[in-house]
Amino acid sequence: MPRRETNPNDRSQHKPDVAAQSETNSDAVHDELAIEVGRDESAEDGGEHRCFSVRRDIKRRLDVYLHQRLQRISRSKVRQLIDLGGVTVNGTAPKPSTTVKRGDLIDVILPPPAIRTIQPEPIPLDVLYEDDAIIVINKPANLIVHPARSHLSGTLVNALAHHFKQQIEQAGGAWTSWQTRGFREHDKQPDGTTIDGLSGVGADECRPGIVHRLDKNTTGVIVVAKNDQAHWHIARQFEDRQTIKAYLAVVHGCPDPPDAVGGVIDEPIGKHPTIREAFAVRHDHQGKQSVTLYRVRERYNGYTLLELELKTGRTHQIRVHLSYIGCPVVGDIIYGGEPIGWADLEDPPIPAGSRRDLNFARNRDEGLKVEAQAAARDDVIIAQPALHAAMLQLTHPLTRQTVRYTAPVHEPVATLVRELRKHKMDGPVATEGYWVDLSLTTPP
């Protein structure tokens, strides 16, 4: 897709397309003519974001109003959501008793819906931290976070259910299908009442406790909420960009200019116009503001170890942005990165996604062909994206203290970095302002 010059929207001024939404539920909003000015479920992080603008002076309590506007949420859960900071009115934290008036802008963050059923599966987990509110995992590659579409098992959620099952049994308890700390098996009642679940918000999608996601082959830190309060508190942090997320990526080449130690990629991202599986930089109404900071941590012959800090959380954001500047992630076949073998350490290939300002992406058939070629080689080190979520910093939902979780890289990225360090190149690197301690995350 050719690049067109444009100024990405300032998110602080961004408003999604305005769309009127009719109400058919009792007298809740029969005369207020409130409009929903924001509904975003496409972000990589956080839950569902909804924003309402009230057009008439209805003089109704906030908890009553939201209970009537938001489906499948009890009034007590709405009060919890307000108390935990999941709701703002005109940019400030309200009380449940706050009166809704004409002109009010009500912003709501809902955690992702809960699951209906889940089957425990003995999938190994690398647990970095766990308490009564959260569990933090160092996710391996080739592990989908939650069931979706054709992937109904073999996910992180299935592994967590087994983890909790083991805890109960080791404590001398008897496990049943509903005793997995919120991963409950339940059925919708005949009267249409809310289906119980981990977050208590609904049961439409298989995402219990999942506050943010990582791509299937992206490794590293992921935090999962164990209860509603923790879920809402963390989801609001992600939406308000109060978390700090830092990744490590081995990329082809080095970002321009060659002597820079870092930079900013501020390019809007949306669905790729022709390739269903991919995303792209889009300077049109479908592009959403996306900002990635990068820092050069180590330089090698033909490759660079970058630290990436996300300021937004779009799907495939790092991979799309790095490909767009001509430095695709090593092994990221979709976005023009190449599988790397031992010979490629000495003689680095020119990746397909090396041209700047282009939305390079392989379609499914092209990607499968490259994967087959890599599988036929006997010297491949890595044939998946060399991308790792190395550090996550947030406010703990119980203690309200700032906590930071750091995850060592998994194989084969560890081997790739270890071998590339034998081919280091001179050049400036970031010596300050970074988040990731390489001594804790990469091999010696």
Side-chain angles (χ1 to χ4, degrees):
M1 178 192 302
R3 181 180 180 181
R4 298 197 298 273
E5 294 300 325
T6 186
N7 291 322
N9 293 329
D10 181 351
R11 190 181 185 278
S12 64
Q13 300 175 351
H14 175 69
K15 294 289 187 296
D17 293 340
V18 174
Q21 182 180 46
S22 62
E23 294 284 343
T24 59
N25 184 16
S26 71
D27 63 350
V29 283
H30 75 281
D31 63 346
E32 74 204 48
L33 292 181
I35 57 173
E36 188 169 344
V37 297
R39 185 164 187 159
D40 184 3
E41 301 176 72
S42 64
E44 183 77 5
D45 298 324
E48 179 184 350
H49 177 201
R50 299 180 69 178
C51 187
F52 304 99
S53 178
V54 182
R55 300 180 63 183
R56 289 191 179 177
D57 198 8
I58 59 175
K59 297 181 180 179
R60 186 174 292 128
R61 284 175 57 106
L62 178 63
D63 56 350
V64 174
Y65 170 78
L66 289 179
H67 173 53
Q68 294 164 335
R69 285 303 301 249
L70 302 172
Q71 298 179 0
R72 304 185 304 274
I73 304 181
S74 68
R75 189 170 168 183
S76 64
K77 293 297 184 183
V78 168
R79 291 196 193 102
Q80 287 182 345
L81 181 60
I82 295 171
D83 291 340
L84 292 166
V87 178
T88 61
V89 177
N90 303 322
T92 61
K95 297 180 179 180
S97 60
T98 296
T99 300
V100 176
K101 303 182 298 297
R102 182 169 67 178
D104 283 345
L105 189 65
I106 303 172
D107 190 275
V108 183
I109 298 298
L110 297 174
I115 192 172
R116 292 181 64 100
T117 60
I118 190 66
Q119 297 300 323
E121 297 181 34
I123 300 170
L125 287 177
D126 182 1
V127 179
L128 300 174
Y129 176 83
E130 182 176 8
D131 60 23
D132 290 339
I134 60 175
I135 180 169
V136 184
I137 304 296
N138 184 5
K139 188 183 87 67
N142 200 35
L143 181 65
I144 295 173
V145 171
H146 58 80
R149 294 188 291 272
S150 60
H151 299 93
L152 300 179
S153 63
T155 72
L156 176 62
V157 168
N158 298 100
L160 286 168
H162 185 266
H163 174 77
F164 298 143
K165 174 178 180 289
Q166 285 186 313
Q167 287 184 340
I168 292 172
E169 293 175 340
Q170 289 171 0
W175 180 85
T176 62
S177 62
W178 54 267
Q179 284 183 305
T180 47
R181 296 191 182 181
F183 296 91
R184 299 188 175 191
E185 181 176 306
H186 39 259
D187 297 312
K188 190 174 180 66
Q189 300 300 314
D191 60 0
T193 57
T194 300
I195 300 174
D196 189 20
L198 179 64
S199 69
V201 178
D204 295 335
E205 297 184 36
C206 301
R207 300 187 293 185
I210 303 301
V211 184
H212 66 124
R213 303 185 297 275
L214 296 175
D215 293 339
K216 175 182 177 181
N217 285 314
T218 300
T219 61
V221 181
I222 183 168
V223 61
V224 179
K226 286 187 173 182
N227 56 57
D228 297 359
Q229 291 85 351
H231 207 147
W232 280 323
H233 188 268
I234 298 173
R236 169 57 73 178
Q237 292 182 59
F238 274 107
E239 176 63 24
D240 290 346
R241 302 180 185 176
Q242 295 172 345
T243 61
I244 298 174
K245 297 171 289 182
Y247 292 68
L248 292 176
V250 180
V251 303
H252 293 275
C254 185
D256 291 333
D259 59 348
V261 298
V264 179
I265 309 172
D266 188 348
E267 299 286 354
I269 291 176
K271 287 289 295 181
H272 196 285
T274 59
I275 299 177
R276 184 175 63 86
E277 301 85 2
F279 289 77
V281 168
R282 297 194 63 152
H283 293 277
D284 59 14
H285 69 283
Q286 294 195 33
K288 295 184 179 181
Q289 186 190 23
S290 307
V291 181
T292 304
L293 309 184
Y294 66 87
R295 304 175 185 96
V296 176
R297 300 301 307 273
E298 292 182 352
R299 295 173 182 266
Y300 318 115
N301 176 33
Y303 308 93
T304 306
L305 178 64
L306 294 181
E307 176 181 317
L308 297 309
E309 181 182 344
L310 290 180
K311 293 300 183 182
T312 54
R314 308 304 178 196
T315 303
H316 295 187
Q317 177 175 318
I318 289 175
R319 299 162 63 190
V320 171
H321 271 170
L322 290 177
S323 179
Y324 195 71
I325 66 170
C327 296
V329 177
V330 165
D332 190 1
I333 294 173
I334 292 178
Y335 294 109
E338 305 298 340
I340 296 300
W342 295 97
D344 300 314
L345 302 179
E346 297 282 353
D347 185 17
I350 298 175
S354 64
R355 295 184 61 184
R356 288 182 56 90
D357 302 334
L358 292 180
N359 282 307
F360 182 90
R362 292 180 169 107
N363 61 32
R364 180 177 177 81
D365 289 341
E366 293 169 339
L368 290 174
K369 181 178 179 180
V370 175
E371 288 180 359
Q373 291 171 344
R377 295 174 58 177
D378 58 7
D379 69 333
V380 170
I381 300 173
I382 187 168
Q384 63 195 36
L387 180 60
H388 178 73
M391 190 281 295
L392 174 64
Q393 179 173 298
L394 49 80
T395 300
H396 193 282
L398 289 183
T399 67
R400 297 301 197 265
Q401 298 295 311
T402 299
V403 290
R404 182 182 299 178
Y405 304 106
T406 300
V409 297
H410 290 276
E411 293 291 351
V413 177
T415 294
L416 177 66
V417 171
R418 185 184 298 112
E419 294 303 318
L420 283 174
R421 283 175 172 167
K422 299 175 183 178
H423 304 271
K424 271 194 172 183
M425 301 288 289
D426 293 332
V429 296
T431 57
E432 58 184 14
Y434 54 80
W435 293 103
V436 178
D437 185 342
L438 295 183
S439 68
L440 298 177
T441 54
T442 58

mmCIF file of all heavy atoms in Angstrom, residues 283-320:
data_model
loop_
_atom_site.group_PDB
_atom_site.id
_atom_site.type_symbol
_atom_site.label_atom_id
_atom_site.label_comp_id
_atom_site.label_asym_id
_atom_site.label_seq_id
_atom_site.Cartn_x
_atom_site.Cartn_y
_atom_site.Cartn_z
ATOM 1 N N HIS A 283 -3.267 5.123 6.531
ATOM 2 C CA HIS A 283 -3.524 6.548 6.687
ATOM 3 C C HIS A 283 -4.919 6.869 6.157
ATOM 4 O O HIS A 283 -5.089 7.723 5.284
ATOM 5 C CB HIS A 283 -2.446 7.360 5.956
ATOM 6 C CG HIS A 283 -1.090 7.220 6.569
ATOM 7 N ND1 HIS A 283 -0.678 7.950 7.659
ATOM 8 C CD2 HIS A 283 -0.065 6.390 6.261
ATOM 9 C CE1 HIS A 283 0.548 7.607 7.990
ATOM 10 N NE2 HIS A 283 0.947 6.661 7.149
ATOM 11 N N ASP A 284 -5.906 6.152 6.704
ATOM 12 C CA ASP A 284 -7.291 6.404 6.339
ATOM 13 C C ASP A 284 -8.144 6.232 7.588
ATOM 14 O O ASP A 284 -7.624 6.128 8.707
ATOM 15 C CB ASP A 284 -7.750 5.482 5.200
ATOM 16 C CG ASP A 284 -7.640 3.999 5.548
ATOM 17 O OD1 ASP A 284 -7.472 3.673 6.750
ATOM 18 O OD2 ASP A 284 -7.724 3.158 4.645
ATOM 19 N N HIS A 285 -9.454 6.198 7.422
ATOM 20 C CA HIS A 285 -10.336 6.160 8.580
ATOM 21 C C HIS A 285 -10.227 4.849 9.359
ATOM 22 O O HIS A 285 -10.679 4.780 10.515
ATOM 23 C CB HIS A 285 -11.789 6.370 8.128
ATOM 24 C CG HIS A 285 -12.359 5.231 7.334
ATOM 25 N ND1 HIS A 285 -12.036 5.036 5.993
ATOM 26 C CD2 HIS A 285 -13.194 4.231 7.681
ATOM 27 C CE1 HIS A 285 -12.672 3.962 5.566
ATOM 28 N NE2 HIS A 285 -13.383 3.459 6.561
ATOM 29 N N GLN A 286 -9.629 3.815 8.771
ATOM 30 C CA GLN A 286 -9.511 2.541 9.473
ATOM 31 C C GLN A 286 -8.233 2.438 10.298
ATOM 32 O O GLN A 286 -8.065 1.510 11.075
ATOM 33 C CB GLN A 286 -9.577 1.391 8.476
ATOM 34 C CG GLN A 286 -10.932 1.265 7.797
ATOM 35 C CD GLN A 286 -11.095 -0.069 7.092
ATOM 36 O OE1 GLN A 286 -10.573 -1.087 7.534
ATOM 37 N NE2 GLN A 286 -11.816 -0.068 5.988
ATOM 38 N N GLY A 287 -7.329 3.378 10.126
ATOM 39 C CA GLY A 287 -6.090 3.363 10.883
ATOM 40 C C GLY A 287 -6.274 3.971 12.267
ATOM 41 O O GLY A 287 -6.855 5.045 12.411
ATOM 42 N N LYS A 288 -5.801 3.265 13.298
ATOM 43 C CA LYS A 288 -5.866 3.767 14.673
ATOM 44 C C LYS A 288 -4.469 4.145 15.126
ATOM 45 O O LYS A 288 -3.489 3.439 14.842
ATOM 46 C CB LYS A 288 -6.441 2.700 15.607
ATOM 47 C CG LYS A 288 -7.885 2.356 15.285
ATOM 48 C CD LYS A 288 -8.443 1.367 16.282
ATOM 49 C CE LYS A 288 -9.904 1.047 15.976
ATOM 50 N NZ LYS A 288 -10.472 0.095 16.962
ATOM 51 N N GLN A 289 -4.378 5.262 15.844
ATOM 52 C CA GLN A 289 -3.079 5.752 16.258
ATOM 53 C C GLN A 289 -2.308 4.671 16.994
ATOM 54 O O GLN A 289 -2.834 4.002 17.892
ATOM 55 C CB GLN A 289 -3.210 6.967 17.172
ATOM 56 C CG GLN A 289 -1.846 7.577 17.505
ATOM 57 C CD GLN A 289 -1.910 8.626 18.584
ATOM 58 O OE1 GLN A 289 -2.829 8.638 19.391
ATOM 59 N NE2 GLN A 289 -0.935 9.512 18.607
ATOM 60 N N SER A 290 -1.057 4.488 16.600
ATOM 61 C CA SER A 290 -0.205 3.443 17.170
ATOM 62 C C SER A 290 1.197 4.015 17.327
ATOM 63 O O SER A 290 1.769 4.523 16.364
ATOM 64 C CB SER A 290 -0.173 2.210 16.257
ATOM 65 O OG SER A 290 -1.491 1.778 15.958
ATOM 66 N N VAL A 291 1.733 3.921 18.532
ATOM 67 C CA VAL A 291 3.035 4.516 18.826
ATOM 68 C C VAL A 291 3.939 3.485 19.487
ATOM 69 O O VAL A 291 3.563 2.864 20.486
ATOM 70 C CB VAL A 291 2.895 5.749 19.746
ATOM 71 C CG1 VAL A 291 4.271 6.365 20.024
ATOM 72 C CG2 VAL A 291 1.961 6.785 19.136
ATOM 73 N N THR A 292 5.131 3.305 18.895
ATOM 74 C CA THR A 292 6.132 2.388 19.426
ATOM 75 C C THR A 292 7.450 3.133 19.582
ATOM 76 O O THR A 292 7.914 3.787 18.642
ATOM 77 C CB THR A 292 6.346 1.191 18.480
ATOM 78 O OG1 THR A 292 5.101 0.531 18.235
ATOM 79 C CG2 THR A 292 7.330 0.200 19.076
ATOM 80 N N LEU A 293 8.047 3.064 20.766
ATOM 81 C CA LEU A 293 9.396 3.586 20.979
ATOM 82 C C LEU A 293 10.383 2.437 20.834
ATOM 83 O O LEU A 293 10.106 1.315 21.264
ATOM 84 C CB LEU A 293 9.530 4.189 22.378
ATOM 85 C CG LEU A 293 8.483 5.204 22.826
ATOM 86 C CD1 LEU A 293 8.849 5.753 24.202
ATOM 87 C CD2 LEU A 293 8.332 6.320 21.828
ATOM 88 N N TYR A 294 11.543 2.711 20.215
ATOM 89 C CA TYR A 294 12.551 1.660 20.125
ATOM 90 C C TYR A 294 13.899 2.190 20.593
ATOM 91 O O TYR A 294 14.206 3.379 20.483
ATOM 92 C CB TYR A 294 12.645 1.085 18.709
ATOM 93 C CG TYR A 294 13.149 2.038 17.660
ATOM 94 C CD1 TYR A 294 14.514 2.182 17.421
ATOM 95 C CD2 TYR A 294 12.268 2.774 16.882
ATOM 96 C CE1 TYR A 294 14.989 3.053 16.452
ATOM 97 C CE2 TYR A 294 12.724 3.648 15.917
ATOM 98 C CZ TYR A 294 14.089 3.785 15.704
ATOM 99 O OH TYR A 294 14.549 4.653 14.747
ATOM 100 N N ARG A 295 14.697 1.274 21.129
ATOM 101 C CA ARG A 295 16.044 1.590 21.603
ATOM 102 C C ARG A 295 16.986 0.502 21.127
ATOM 103 O O ARG A 295 16.670 -0.692 21.227
ATOM 104 C CB ARG A 295 16.076 1.686 23.135
ATOM 105 C CG ARG A 295 15.091 2.695 23.691
ATOM 106 C CD ARG A 295 15.055 2.675 25.222
ATOM 107 N NE ARG A 295 14.009 3.592 25.698
ATOM 108 C CZ ARG A 295 12.785 3.214 26.015
ATOM 109 N NH1 ARG A 295 12.443 1.934 25.907
ATOM 110 N NH2 ARG A 295 11.900 4.093 26.446
ATOM 111 N N VAL A 296 18.131 0.894 20.617
ATOM 112 C CA VAL A 296 19.139 -0.062 20.153
ATOM 113 C C VAL A 296 19.904 -0.563 21.378
ATOM 114 O O VAL A 296 20.555 0.219 22.079
ATOM 115 C CB VAL A 296 20.098 0.589 19.151
ATOM 116 C CG1 VAL A 296 21.202 -0.394 18.758
ATOM 117 C CG2 VAL A 296 19.346 1.060 17.909
ATOM 118 N N ARG A 297 19.837 -1.863 21.649
ATOM 119 C CA ARG A 297 20.523 -2.423 22.812
ATOM 120 C C ARG A 297 21.831 -3.120 22.434
ATOM 121 O O ARG A 297 22.807 -3.035 23.162
ATOM 122 C CB ARG A 297 19.597 -3.406 23.553
ATOM 123 C CG ARG A 297 18.302 -2.789 24.071
ATOM 124 C CD ARG A 297 18.560 -1.627 25.044
ATOM 125 N NE ARG A 297 19.460 -1.998 26.128
ATOM 126 C CZ ARG A 297 19.073 -2.556 27.258
ATOM 127 N NH1 ARG A 297 17.778 -2.805 27.456
ATOM 128 N NH2 ARG A 297 19.955 -2.844 28.204
ATOM 129 N N GLU A 298 21.835 -3.830 21.288
ATOM 130 C CA GLU A 298 23.059 -4.465 20.820
ATOM 131 C C GLU A 298 23.052 -4.478 19.297
ATOM 132 O O GLU A 298 21.990 -4.592 18.684
ATOM 133 C CB GLU A 298 23.190 -5.903 21.360
ATOM 134 C CG GLU A 298 23.411 -5.982 22.857
ATOM 135 C CD GLU A 298 23.583 -7.392 23.382
ATOM 136 O OE1 GLU A 298 23.383 -8.345 22.595
ATOM 137 O OE2 GLU A 298 23.909 -7.558 24.560
ATOM 138 N N ARG A 299 24.238 -4.376 18.706
ATOM 139 C CA ARG A 299 24.380 -4.406 17.248
ATOM 140 C C ARG A 299 25.191 -5.629 16.844
ATOM 141 O O ARG A 299 26.220 -5.949 17.467
ATOM 142 C CB ARG A 299 25.088 -3.144 16.748
ATOM 143 C CG ARG A 299 24.315 -1.851 16.982
ATOM 144 C CD ARG A 299 25.152 -0.639 16.607
ATOM 145 N NE ARG A 299 24.463 0.609 16.851
ATOM 146 C CZ ARG A 299 23.742 1.276 15.952
ATOM 147 N NH1 ARG A 299 23.641 0.784 14.717
ATOM 148 N NH2 ARG A 299 23.145 2.407 16.260
ATOM 149 N N TYR A 300 24.723 -6.299 15.779
ATOM 150 C CA TYR A 300 25.425 -7.458 15.251
ATOM 151 C C TYR A 300 25.616 -7.270 13.749
ATOM 152 O O TYR A 300 25.099 -6.324 13.154
ATOM 153 C CB TYR A 300 24.615 -8.744 15.506
ATOM 154 C CG TYR A 300 23.988 -8.844 16.867
ATOM 155 C CD1 TYR A 300 22.588 -8.862 17.010
ATOM 156 C CD2 TYR A 300 24.763 -8.935 18.013
ATOM 157 C CE1 TYR A 300 22.000 -8.970 18.250
ATOM 158 C CE2 TYR A 300 24.175 -9.026 19.273
ATOM 159 C CZ TYR A 300 22.790 -9.048 19.385
ATOM 160 O OH TYR A 300 22.204 -9.141 20.615
ATOM 161 N N ASN A 301 26.323 -8.208 13.153
ATOM 162 C CA ASN A 301 26.509 -8.196 11.706
ATOM 163 C C ASN A 301 25.188 -8.538 11.017
ATOM 164 O O ASN A 301 24.781 -9.693 10.967
ATOM 165 C CB ASN A 301 27.583 -9.210 11.314
ATOM 166 C CG ASN A 301 27.761 -9.316 9.802
ATOM 167 O OD1 ASN A 301 27.607 -8.329 9.089
ATOM 168 N ND2 ASN A 301 28.060 -10.517 9.332
ATOM 169 N N GLY A 302 24.503 -7.511 10.489
ATOM 170 C CA GLY A 302 23.255 -7.729 9.757
ATOM 171 C C GLY A 302 22.006 -7.782 10.611
ATOM 172 O O GLY A 302 20.896 -7.928 10.075
ATOM 173 N N TYR A 303 22.149 -7.646 11.921
ATOM 174 C CA TYR A 303 21.003 -7.751 12.825
ATOM 175 C C TYR A 303 21.159 -6.742 13.963
ATOM 176 O O TYR A 303 22.249 -6.230 14.227
ATOM 177 C CB TYR A 303 20.891 -9.162 13.418
ATOM 178 C CG TYR A 303 20.905 -10.262 12.401
ATOM 179 C CD1 TYR A 303 22.105 -10.888 12.036
ATOM 180 C CD2 TYR A 303 19.725 -10.699 11.793
ATOM 181 C CE1 TYR A 303 22.126 -11.912 11.102
ATOM 182 C CE2 TYR A 303 19.734 -11.725 10.860
ATOM 183 C CZ TYR A 303 20.944 -12.326 10.516
ATOM 184 O OH TYR A 303 20.964 -13.336 9.592
ATOM 185 N N THR A 304 20.056 -6.506 14.675
ATOM 186 C CA THR A 304 20.068 -5.612 15.831
ATOM 187 C C THR A 304 19.139 -6.161 16.896
ATOM 188 O O THR A 304 18.063 -6.699 16.586
ATOM 189 C CB THR A 304 19.594 -4.189 15.441
ATOM 190 O OG1 THR A 304 20.375 -3.713 14.347
ATOM 191 C CG2 THR A 304 19.720 -3.229 16.614
ATOM 192 N N LEU A 305 19.557 -6.042 18.158
ATOM 193 C CA LEU A 305 18.671 -6.345 19.285
ATOM 194 C C LEU A 305 18.047 -5.026 19.731
ATOM 195 O O LEU A 305 18.748 -4.113 20.187
ATOM 196 C CB LEU A 305 19.454 -6.971 20.443
ATOM 197 C CG LEU A 305 18.626 -7.285 21.701
ATOM 198 C CD1 LEU A 305 17.574 -8.346 21.416
ATOM 199 C CD2 LEU A 305 19.545 -7.715 22.855
ATOM 200 N N LEU A 306 16.731 -4.916 19.562
ATOM 201 C CA LEU A 306 16.006 -3.706 19.918
ATOM 202 C C LEU A 306 15.164 -3.934 21.171
ATOM 203 O O LEU A 306 14.637 -5.027 21.396
ATOM 204 C CB LEU A 306 15.060 -3.278 18.787
ATOM 205 C CG LEU A 306 15.669 -2.825 17.467
ATOM 206 C CD1 LEU A 306 14.547 -2.431 16.501
ATOM 207 C CD2 LEU A 306 16.633 -1.669 17.672
ATOM 208 N N GLU A 307 15.043 -2.880 21.955
ATOM 209 C CA GLU A 307 14.051 -2.843 23.022
ATOM 210 C C GLU A 307 12.905 -1.978 22.531
ATOM 211 O O GLU A 307 13.127 -0.866 22.035
ATOM 212 C CB GLU A 307 14.635 -2.260 24.301
ATOM 213 C CG GLU A 307 13.609 -2.108 25.415
ATOM 214 C CD GLU A 307 14.194 -1.499 26.678
ATOM 215 O OE1 GLU A 307 15.313 -1.901 27.071
ATOM 216 O OE2 GLU A 307 13.544 -0.618 27.271
ATOM 217 N N LEU A 308 11.680 -2.469 22.645
ATOM 218 C CA LEU A 308 10.488 -1.757 22.179
ATOM 219 C C LEU A 308 9.599 -1.447 23.372
ATOM 220 O O LEU A 308 9.363 -2.305 24.218
ATOM 221 C CB LEU A 308 9.696 -2.590 21.165
ATOM 222 C CG LEU A 308 10.306 -2.991 19.818
ATOM 223 C CD1 LEU A 308 10.885 -1.794 19.082
ATOM 224 C CD2 LEU A 308 11.315 -4.120 19.956
ATOM 225 N N GLU A 309 9.112 -0.225 23.422
ATOM 226 C CA GLU A 309 8.166 0.167 24.458
ATOM 227 C C GLU A 309 6.862 0.584 23.786
ATOM 228 O O GLU A 309 6.853 1.480 22.936
ATOM 229 C CB GLU A 309 8.722 1.319 25.285
ATOM 230 C CG GLU A 309 7.797 1.769 26.396
ATOM 231 C CD GLU A 309 8.362 2.944 27.176
ATOM 232 O OE1 GLU A 309 9.575 3.225 27.071
ATOM 233 O OE2 GLU A 309 7.574 3.589 27.894
ATOM 234 N N LEU A 310 5.784 -0.072 24.152
ATOM 235 C CA LEU A 310 4.486 0.204 23.541
ATOM 236 C C LEU A 310 3.790 1.346 24.259
ATOM 237 O O LEU A 310 3.629 1.317 25.478
ATOM 238 C CB LEU A 310 3.598 -1.036 23.584
ATOM 239 C CG LEU A 310 3.979 -2.209 22.684
ATOM 240 C CD1 LEU A 310 2.981 -3.337 22.855
ATOM 241 C CD2 LEU A 310 4.041 -1.780 21.242
ATOM 242 N N LYS A 311 3.350 2.322 23.492
ATOM 243 C CA LYS A 311 2.512 3.384 24.024
ATOM 244 C C LYS A 311 1.045 3.155 23.684
ATOM 245 O O LYS A 311 0.169 3.794 24.239
ATOM 246 C CB LYS A 311 2.966 4.744 23.484
ATOM 247 C CG LYS A 311 4.347 5.155 23.981
ATOM 248 C CD LYS A 311 4.382 5.259 25.496
ATOM 249 C CE LYS A 311 5.714 5.737 26.013
ATOM 250 N NZ LYS A 311 5.740 5.789 27.499
ATOM 251 N N THR A 312 0.791 2.276 22.728
ATOM 252 C CA THR A 312 -0.559 1.812 22.407
ATOM 253 C C THR A 312 -0.489 0.294 22.303
ATOM 254 O O THR A 312 0.604 -0.277 22.299
ATOM 255 C CB THR A 312 -1.078 2.410 21.093
ATOM 256 O OG1 THR A 312 -0.124 2.141 20.052
ATOM 257 C CG2 THR A 312 -1.281 3.914 21.215
ATOM 258 N N GLY A 313 -1.636 -0.365 22.179
ATOM 259 C CA GLY A 313 -1.636 -1.828 22.178
ATOM 260 C C GLY A 313 -2.405 -2.418 21.022
ATOM 261 O O GLY A 313 -3.326 -3.201 21.235
ATOM 262 N N ARG A 314 -2.047 -2.061 19.806
ATOM 263 C CA ARG A 314 -2.735 -2.603 18.637
ATOM 264 C C ARG A 314 -2.245 -4.016 18.319
ATOM 265 O O ARG A 314 -1.086 -4.362 18.588
ATOM 266 C CB ARG A 314 -2.513 -1.707 17.407
ATOM 267 C CG ARG A 314 -2.826 -0.254 17.627
ATOM 268 C CD ARG A 314 -4.228 -0.026 18.106
ATOM 269 N NE ARG A 314 -4.486 1.395 18.349
ATOM 270 C CZ ARG A 314 -5.505 1.870 19.039
ATOM 271 N NH1 ARG A 314 -6.370 1.040 19.578
ATOM 272 N NH2 ARG A 314 -5.646 3.169 19.214
ATOM 273 N N THR A 315 -3.108 -4.786 17.708
ATOM 274 C CA THR A 315 -2.742 -6.136 17.295
ATOM 275 C C THR A 315 -1.586 -6.091 16.291
ATOM 276 O O THR A 315 -1.620 -5.329 15.334
ATOM 277 C CB THR A 315 -3.950 -6.850 16.665
ATOM 278 O OG1 THR A 315 -5.022 -6.850 17.603
ATOM 279 C CG2 THR A 315 -3.599 -8.274 16.274
ATOM 280 N N HIS A 316 -0.540 -6.895 16.562
ATOM 281 C CA HIS A 316 0.652 -6.995 15.703
ATOM 282 C C HIS A 316 1.418 -5.668 15.614
ATOM 283 O O HIS A 316 2.186 -5.468 14.665
ATOM 284 C CB HIS A 316 0.290 -7.463 14.283
ATOM 285 C CG HIS A 316 -0.252 -8.851 14.217
ATOM 286 N ND1 HIS A 316 -0.503 -9.492 13.024
ATOM 287 C CD2 HIS A 316 -0.611 -9.733 15.183
ATOM 288 C CE1 HIS A 316 -0.982 -10.704 13.259
ATOM 289 N NE2 HIS A 316 -1.070 -10.866 14.575
ATOM 290 N N GLN A 317 1.239 -4.780 16.573
ATOM 291 C CA GLN A 317 1.791 -3.422 16.446
ATOM 292 C C GLN A 317 3.300 -3.410 16.218
ATOM 293 O O GLN A 317 3.786 -2.771 15.272
ATOM 294 C CB GLN A 317 1.465 -2.605 17.699
ATOM 295 C CG GLN A 317 2.067 -1.197 17.668
ATOM 296 C CD GLN A 317 1.637 -0.360 18.854
ATOM 297 O OE1 GLN A 317 0.480 -0.384 19.252
ATOM 298 N NE2 GLN A 317 2.567 0.391 19.430
ATOM 299 N N ILE A 318 4.052 -4.092 17.073
ATOM 300 C CA ILE A 318 5.511 -4.073 16.932
ATOM 301 C C ILE A 318 5.925 -4.654 15.589
ATOM 302 O O ILE A 318 6.780 -4.083 14.877
ATOM 303 C CB ILE A 318 6.163 -4.840 18.087
ATOM 304 C CG1 ILE A 318 6.016 -4.049 19.400
ATOM 305 C CG2 ILE A 318 7.636 -5.110 17.795
ATOM 306 C CD1 ILE A 318 6.533 -4.800 20.613
ATOM 307 N N ARG A 319 5.322 -5.750 15.212
ATOM 308 C CA ARG A 319 5.710 -6.436 13.980
ATOM 309 C C ARG A 319 5.411 -5.570 12.755
ATOM 310 O O ARG A 319 6.237 -5.478 11.820
ATOM 311 C CB ARG A 319 4.987 -7.774 13.895
ATOM 312 C CG ARG A 319 5.334 -8.707 15.058
ATOM 313 C CD ARG A 319 4.321 -9.822 15.237
ATOM 314 N NE ARG A 319 4.281 -10.696 14.075
ATOM 315 C CZ ARG A 319 3.353 -11.628 13.892
ATOM 316 N NH1 ARG A 319 2.385 -11.793 14.791
ATOM 317 N NH2 ARG A 319 3.391 -12.391 12.818
ATOM 318 N N VAL A 320 4.250 -4.933 12.732
ATOM 319 C CA VAL A 320 3.895 -4.063 11.605
ATOM 320 C C VAL A 320 4.807 -2.842 11.556
ATOM 321 O O VAL A 320 5.322 -2.464 10.495
ATOM 322 C CB VAL A 320 2.413 -3.635 11.715
ATOM 323 C CG1 VAL A 320 2.082 -2.566 10.678
ATOM 324 C CG2 VAL A 320 1.496 -4.839 11.539
#
